[in-house]
Amino acid sequence: MGLQSVLLGIDRLSAFVGKAFAWCIIGLTGVVVYEIVMRYAFRAPTSWAYDVSYMLYGALFMMAGAYALSRNGHVRGDFLYRNFRPANQARLDLVLYVLFFFPAIFAFMISGWNFAHISFLQNERSMFSPTGPVIWPFKFLIPIVGVLLLLQGVVEVVRCIRCIRTGAWPERLSDVEELEQKILAAAAERDPEELAREMARTGHIPGERAGDEHTGR
């Protein structure tokens, strides 16, 4: 198994976790709709909807973090960064990962574990509703998120190092999906057989600069 396969494998793990927890939005929507109907139509508000809704939203928000990082989807002020050469982008990213990302993630993991462990020992329950559901299992998501972000951060650092050496960003999973979309768009504008012959001859999609599909940016 090559290094690129390992990188894409961790990308797939981050994507799997993020997409699995994306289903929380269905549960969250159902809980909110149910609470609104019961509150305003039947004058019988629930005692559990608030706790369930913030737990579902918190799980959705946290567990998508590594997935967003794998797709380079976090918000960034890149009005200068996007004009840099890929190698310079990688150098800047590498410095920021070392100085800020990894120290923050290690602190997040350690404090998150302590936070969850204390909650478990106390059998902590919510204080926001009369039913007081147990919330310590939810808090154990915090260190788990830290581990996933750490793994994905290591992948991104490896990509930075490879980009510094080669001058081009290594392929990531999002590139594969974007490439398919570009091919379908190009096929809609011209004869598919002609498009296939030109791609076989040039090695890239017509109208796209060679190497752009591997930048990951």
Side-chain angles (χ1 to χ4, degrees):
M1 180 182 295
L3 179 60
Q4 181 65 6
S5 297
V6 174
L7 300 183
L8 293 179
I10 297 177
D11 280 350
R12 291 187 181 94
L13 173 63
S14 298
F16 173 79
V17 173
K19 291 178 180 180
F21 276 84
W23 287 97
C24 288
I25 196 67
I26 303 298
L28 177 60
T29 302
V31 168
V32 172
V33 170
Y34 182 82
E35 169 65 14
I36 291 174
V37 171
M38 294 301 295
R39 179 181 295 272
Y40 294 105
F42 299 99
R43 304 295 181 183
T46 67
S47 62
W48 49 265
Y50 177 75
D51 288 306
V52 173
S53 62
Y54 79 70
M55 289 183 192
L56 287 172
Y57 177 75
L60 171 67
F61 180 81
M62 289 192 298
M63 300 304 287
Y67 176 47
L69 182 59
S70 73
R71 297 303 178 93
N72 197 31
H74 288 294
V75 175
R76 65 195 311 163
D78 63 350
F79 66 99
L80 294 177
Y81 176 94
R82 64 188 176 189
N83 293 319
F84 295 167
R85 293 186 298 108
N88 288 336
Q89 291 178 345
R91 291 186 181 96
L92 179 59
D93 282 356
L94 183 59
V95 170
L96 295 177
Y97 274 115
V98 172
L99 291 182
F100 298 103
F101 179 85
F102 287 113
I105 289 300
F106 282 121
F108 181 79
M109 291 170 59
I110 294 171
S111 61
W113 171 258
N114 292 333
F115 188 53
H117 186 237
I118 292 172
S119 178
F120 168 73
L121 294 176
Q122 296 175 343
N123 194 31
E124 185 179 3
R125 295 177 176 271
S126 173
M127 62 181 180
F128 296 113
S129 65
T131 55
V134 174
I135 60 175
W136 60 261
F138 169 71
K139 292 188 175 181
F140 271 98
L141 291 179
I142 301 173
I144 293 174
V145 170
V147 172
L148 292 171
L149 284 169
L150 179 63
L151 282 174
Q152 192 62 49
V154 171
V155 169
E156 300 308 315
V157 165
V158 173
R159 287 192 169 114
C160 288
I161 294 172
R162 295 185 70 182
C163 181
I164 293 171
R165 291 177 176 175
T166 64
W169 285 104
E171 184 182 56
R172 60 175 70 227
L173 284 184
S174 58
D175 294 340
V176 176
E177 294 181 358
E178 291 168 359
L179 186 60
E180 290 176 351
Q181 294 170 2
K182 292 175 183 177
I183 293 174
L184 290 174
E189 297 176 355
R190 59 192 304 174
D191 180 66
E193 293 184 2
E194 179 186 348
L195 174 64
R197 287 194 296 269
E198 186 167 351
M199 289 180 60
R201 179 176 57 83
T202 63
H204 61 88
I205 303 172
E208 181 181 45
R209 292 178 300 172
D212 283 354
E213 67 273 17
H214 298 294
T215 61
R217 289 297 185 267

